[in-house]
């Protein structure tokens, strides 16, 4: 029994030692915790201040971003409007281009027809010139022939007239 009491006492002394050690460690840990708490509070104040500053920066960025988005949206609308205007102008130019192409094709066709007509008329004119030269040659031959006949007839007429005049003279005398 005494042995048990002695063991218990010795265990009690060990426990007291352990309790003292634990109390000392707890005190030390509490002191560290208190320091950490103070440091945490200081860091928390710094963090809160930084967080407020960062939030203000972020709000500034968001405001700039929103303004930029509005500006870009306005610019996009303007560009879409310009694009639509340019597309309409392009369509109008294409229509005008088609009209011009058709007019050019029509003009070309008229020019081709005129050239064909000119070629035909030149050919006809050449033919008429050739006929004219032939007719002129024939006419000149006829004219010479007629002149000869007229001279011949004039000569015969003079002969007949002279003969008539002689007869009339003889008849009158």
């Amino acid at each position: 029994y005494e042995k048990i009491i002695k063991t218990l006492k010795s265990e009690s002394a060990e426990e007291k030692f352990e309790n003292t050690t634990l109390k000392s460690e707890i005190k030390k840990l509490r002191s560290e915790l208190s320091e950490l708490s103070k440091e945490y509070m200081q860091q928390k104040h710094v963090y809160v201040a930084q967080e407020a500053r960062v939030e203000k920066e972020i709000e500034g960025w968001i405001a700039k971003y929103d303004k930029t988005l509005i500006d870009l949206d306005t610019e996009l609308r303007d560009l879409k409007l310009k694009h639509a205007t340019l597309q309409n102008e392009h369509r109008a130019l294409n229509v005008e281009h088609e009209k011009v192409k058709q007019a050019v094709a029509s003009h070309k066709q008229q020019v081709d027809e005129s050239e064909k007509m000119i070629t035909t008329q030149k050919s006809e004119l050449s033919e008429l010139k050739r006929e004219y030269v032939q007719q002129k040659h024939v006419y000149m031959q006829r004219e010479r022939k007629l002149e000869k006949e007229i001279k011949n007839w004039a000569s015969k007429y003079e002969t007949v007239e002279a003969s008539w005049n002689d007869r009339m003279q003889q008849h009158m005398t």
Side-chain angles (χ1 to χ4, degrees), residues 49-90:
Q50 284 179 343
E51 186 179 28
R53 185 178 51 78
V54 168
E55 281 180 5
K56 279 187 180 181
E57 278 186 37
I58 288 173
E59 287 172 3
W61 292 343
I62 288 172
K64 285 181 186 175
Y65 175 76
D66 286 345
K67 185 183 178 328
T68 302
L69 278 179
I70 290 169
D71 291 346
L72 287 175
D73 189 46
T74 303
E75 191 175 333
L76 179 63
R77 263 187 269 119
D78 291 346
L79 287 174
K80 283 182 179 178
L81 182 62
K82 282 182 183 177
H83 179 69
T85 302
L86 288 174
Q87 279 183 326
N88 289 338
E89 288 176 5
H90 185 257

Side-chain angles (χ1 to χ4, degrees), residues 79-123:
L79 287 174
K80 283 182 179 178
L81 182 62
K82 282 182 183 177
H83 179 69
T85 302
L86 288 174
Q87 279 183 326
N88 289 338
E89 288 176 5
H90 185 257
R91 282 189 210 105
L93 286 173
N94 279 344
V95 167
E96 193 64 30
H97 179 69
E98 283 302 315
K99 287 179 183 176
V100 168
K101 275 176 55 178
Q102 289 173 358
V104 166
S106 174
H107 181 71
K108 186 179 182 324
Q109 183 180 4
Q110 289 174 353
V111 166
D112 290 346
E113 288 173 4
S114 293
E115 285 177 348
K116 285 179 187 174
M117 189 167 57
I118 287 170
T119 303
T120 302
Q121 287 177 350
K122 279 182 179 179
S123 174

Side-chain angles (χ1 to χ4, degrees), residues 142-155:
R142 279 187 185 165
E143 188 178 31
R144 277 184 246 137
K145 185 178 175 185
L146 284 174
E147 283 175 358
K148 280 182 183 178
E149 278 186 38
I150 289 172
K151 282 181 183 176
N152 206 6
W153 277 104
S155 167

